[in-house]
PDB file of all heavy atoms in Angstrom:
ATOM      1  N   TYR A 326     -74.245-179.546-114.251  1.00 95.00           N
ATOM      2  CA  TYR A 326     -72.860-179.027-114.131  1.00 95.00           C
ATOM      3  C   TYR A 326     -72.027-179.446-115.199  1.00 95.00           C
ATOM      4  O   TYR A 326     -72.276-180.544-115.943  1.00 95.00           O
ATOM      5  CB  TYR A 326     -72.231-179.778-112.831  1.00 95.00           C
ATOM      6  CG  TYR A 326     -72.787-179.117-111.546  1.00 95.00           C
ATOM      7  CD1 TYR A 326     -73.262-180.064-110.490  1.00 95.00           C
ATOM      8  CD2 TYR A 326     -72.734-177.795-111.225  1.00 95.00           C
ATOM      9  CE1 TYR A 326     -73.717-179.575-109.334  1.00 95.00           C
ATOM     10  CE2 TYR A 326     -73.221-177.218-109.967  1.00 95.00           C
ATOM     11  CZ  TYR A 326     -73.646-178.231-109.039  1.00 95.00           C
ATOM     12  OH  TYR A 326     -74.094-177.684-107.970  1.00 95.00           O
ATOM     13  N   LEU A 327     -71.084-178.833-115.429  1.00 93.00           N
ATOM     14  CA  LEU A 327     -69.919-179.156-116.321  1.00 93.00           C
ATOM     15  C   LEU A 327     -69.051-180.248-115.536  1.00 93.00           C
ATOM     16  O   LEU A 327     -69.064-180.270-114.418  1.00 93.00           O
ATOM     17  CB  LEU A 327     -68.956-178.031-116.728  1.00 93.00           C
ATOM     18  CG  LEU A 327     -69.654-176.858-117.578  1.00 93.00           C
ATOM     19  CD1 LEU A 327     -68.625-175.757-117.728  1.00 93.00           C
ATOM     20  CD2 LEU A 327     -70.119-177.386-118.884  1.00 93.00           C
ATOM     21  N   PRO A 328     -68.353-181.069-116.270  1.00 92.00           N
ATOM     22  CA  PRO A 328     -67.363-181.913-115.532  1.00 92.00           C
ATOM     23  C   PRO A 328     -66.393-181.145-114.802  1.00 92.00           C
ATOM     24  O   PRO A 328     -65.937-180.058-115.103  1.00 92.00           O
ATOM     25  CB  PRO A 328     -66.728-182.709-116.628  1.00 92.00           C
ATOM     26  CG  PRO A 328     -66.928-181.958-117.790  1.00 92.00           C
ATOM     27  CD  PRO A 328     -68.239-181.248-117.625  1.00 92.00           C
ATOM     28  N   ALA A 329     -65.911-181.657-113.627  1.00 91.00           N
ATOM     29  CA  ALA A 329     -64.912-180.961-112.762  1.00 91.00           C
ATOM     30  C   ALA A 329     -63.639-180.663-113.567  1.00 91.00           C
ATOM     31  O   ALA A 329     -63.042-179.634-113.250  1.00 91.00           O
ATOM     32  CB  ALA A 329     -64.522-181.783-111.612  1.00 91.00           C
ATOM     33  N   THR A 330     -63.331-181.402-114.478  1.00 90.00           N
ATOM     34  CA  THR A 330     -62.239-181.146-115.355  1.00 90.00           C
ATOM     35  C   THR A 330     -62.333-181.823-116.770  1.00 90.00           C
ATOM     36  O   THR A 330     -63.083-182.826-116.775  1.00 90.00           O
ATOM     37  CB  THR A 330     -60.843-181.561-114.798  1.00 90.00           C
ATOM     38  OG1 THR A 330     -59.689-181.127-115.683  1.00 90.00           O
ATOM     39  CG2 THR A 330     -60.825-182.986-114.391  1.00 90.00           C
ATOM     40  N   ILE A 331     -61.784-181.282-117.733  1.00 90.00           N
ATOM     41  CA  ILE A 331     -61.733-181.986-119.118  1.00 90.00           C
ATOM     42  C   ILE A 331     -60.399-182.583-119.461  1.00 90.00           C
ATOM     43  O   ILE A 331     -60.162-183.060-120.546  1.00 90.00           O
ATOM     44  CB  ILE A 331     -62.089-180.945-120.216  1.00 90.00           C
ATOM     45  CG1 ILE A 331     -61.137-179.851-120.359  1.00 90.00           C
ATOM     46  CG2 ILE A 331     -63.545-180.406-120.074  1.00 90.00           C
ATOM     47  CD1 ILE A 331     -61.199-178.859-121.488  1.00 90.00           C
ATOM     48  N   ASN A 332     -59.452-182.525-118.435  1.00 86.00           N
ATOM     49  CA  ASN A 332     -58.144-183.079-118.630  1.00 86.00           C
ATOM     50  C   ASN A 332     -57.979-184.243-117.774  1.00 86.00           C
ATOM     51  O   ASN A 332     -57.833-184.085-116.541  1.00 86.00           O
ATOM     52  CB  ASN A 332     -57.069-181.928-118.265  1.00 86.00           C
ATOM     53  CG  ASN A 332     -57.247-180.691-119.175  1.00 86.00           C
ATOM     54  OD1 ASN A 332     -57.047-180.843-120.402  1.00 86.00           O
ATOM     55  ND2 ASN A 332     -57.509-179.588-118.568  1.00 86.00           N
ATOM     56  N   GLY A 333     -58.062-185.445-118.302  1.00 80.00           N
ATOM     57  CA  GLY A 333     -57.953-186.646-117.599  1.00 80.00           C
ATOM     58  C   GLY A 333     -59.180-186.976-116.883  1.00 80.00           C
ATOM     59  O   GLY A 333     -60.285-186.404-117.048  1.00 80.00           O
ATOM     60  N   PRO A 334     -59.137-188.095-116.104  1.00 85.00           N
ATOM     61  CA  PRO A 334     -60.359-188.520-115.394  1.00 85.00           C
ATOM     62  C   PRO A 334     -60.847-187.348-114.456  1.00 85.00           C
ATOM     63  O   PRO A 334     -60.129-186.707-113.693  1.00 85.00           O
ATOM     64  CB  PRO A 334     -59.802-189.686-114.491  1.00 85.00           C
ATOM     65  CG  PRO A 334     -58.538-190.137-115.180  1.00 85.00           C
ATOM     66  CD  PRO A 334     -57.966-188.964-115.695  1.00 85.00           C
ATOM     67  N   SER A 335     -62.206-187.195-114.494  1.00 86.00           N
ATOM     68  CA  SER A 335     -62.790-186.049-113.656  1.00 86.00           C
ATOM     69  C   SER A 335     -63.377-186.721-112.426  1.00 86.00           C
ATOM     70  O   SER A 335     -64.034-187.730-112.325  1.00 86.00           O
ATOM     71  CB  SER A 335     -63.949-185.548-114.413  1.00 86.00           C
ATOM     72  OG  SER A 335     -64.693-184.564-113.665  1.00 86.00           O
ATOM     73  N   PRO A 336     -63.004-186.056-111.194  1.00 91.00           N
ATOM     74  CA  PRO A 336     -63.594-186.547-109.926  1.00 91.00           C
ATOM     75  C   PRO A 336     -65.094-186.512-109.981  1.00 91.00           C
ATOM     76  O   PRO A 336     -65.689-185.643-110.640  1.00 91.00           O
ATOM     77  CB  PRO A 336     -63.076-185.548-108.985  1.00 91.00           C
ATOM     78  CG  PRO A 336     -61.908-184.906-109.618  1.00 91.00           C
ATOM     79  CD  PRO A 336     -62.161-184.854-111.031  1.00 91.00           C
ATOM     80  N   MET A 337     -65.834-187.431-109.328  1.00 93.00           N
ATOM     81  CA  MET A 337     -67.189-187.608-109.425  1.00 93.00           C
ATOM     82  C   MET A 337     -67.943-186.402-108.571  1.00 93.00           C
ATOM     83  O   MET A 337     -67.390-185.936-107.475  1.00 93.00           O
ATOM     84  CB  MET A 337     -67.641-188.862-108.714  1.00 93.00           C
ATOM     85  CG  MET A 337     -69.142-189.025-108.766  1.00 93.00           C
ATOM     86  SD  MET A 337     -69.641-190.740-108.169  1.00 93.00           S
ATOM     87  CE  MET A 337     -68.956-191.755-109.588  1.00 93.00           C
ATOM     88  N   LEU A 338     -68.808-185.787-109.198  1.00 94.00           N
ATOM     89  CA  LEU A 338     -69.576-184.785-108.646  1.00 94.00           C
ATOM     90  C   LEU A 338     -70.641-185.252-107.738  1.00 94.00           C
ATOM     91  O   LEU A 338     -71.178-186.327-107.967  1.00 94.00           O
ATOM     92  CB  LEU A 338     -70.176-183.823-109.639  1.00 94.00           C
ATOM     93  CG  LEU A 338     -69.211-183.078-110.585  1.00 94.00           C
ATOM     94  CD1 LEU A 338     -69.968-182.468-111.810  1.00 94.00           C
ATOM     95  CD2 LEU A 338     -68.415-182.159-109.763  1.00 94.00           C
ATOM     96  N   PRO A 339     -70.974-184.500-106.612  1.00 95.00           N
ATOM     97  CA  PRO A 339     -71.930-185.073-105.726  1.00 95.00           C
ATOM     98  C   PRO A 339     -73.422-184.973-106.177  1.00 95.00           C
ATOM     99  O   PRO A 339     -74.316-185.561-105.592  1.00 95.00           O
ATOM    100  CB  PRO A 339     -71.831-184.143-104.433  1.00 95.00           C
ATOM    101  CG  PRO A 339     -71.213-182.876-104.989  1.00 95.00           C
ATOM    102  CD  PRO A 339     -70.356-183.234-106.127  1.00 95.00           C
ATOM    103  N   ALA A 340     -73.709-184.234-107.264  1.00 95.00           N
ATOM    104  CA  ALA A 340     -75.002-184.044-107.731  1.00 95.00           C
ATOM    105  C   ALA A 340     -74.934-183.637-109.288  1.00 95.00           C
ATOM    106  O   ALA A 340     -73.850-183.160-109.791  1.00 95.00           O
ATOM    107  CB  ALA A 340     -75.827-183.005-106.989  1.00 95.00           C
ATOM    108  N   GLU A 341     -76.064-183.795-109.930  1.00 95.00           N
ATOM    109  CA  GLU A 341     -75.947-183.419-111.360  1.00 95.00           C
ATOM    110  C   GLU A 341     -76.101-181.915-111.558  1.00 95.00           C
ATOM    111  O   GLU A 341     -75.605-181.429-112.668  1.00 95.00           O
ATOM    112  CB  GLU A 341     -77.109-184.128-112.162  1.00 95.00           C
ATOM    113  CG  GLU A 341     -76.989-185.653-112.183  1.00 95.00           C
ATOM    114  CD  GLU A 341     -78.155-186.241-113.118  1.00 95.00           C
ATOM    115  OE1 GLU A 341     -79.056-185.448-113.439  1.00 95.00           O
ATOM    116  OE2 GLU A 341     -78.033-187.437-113.353  1.00 95.00           O
TER     117      GLU A 341
END
Side-chain angles (χ1 to χ4, degrees):
Y326 286 130
L327 298 174
T330 179
I331 61 173
N332 299 300
S335 176
M337 181 172 293
L338 296 170
E341 292 184 354

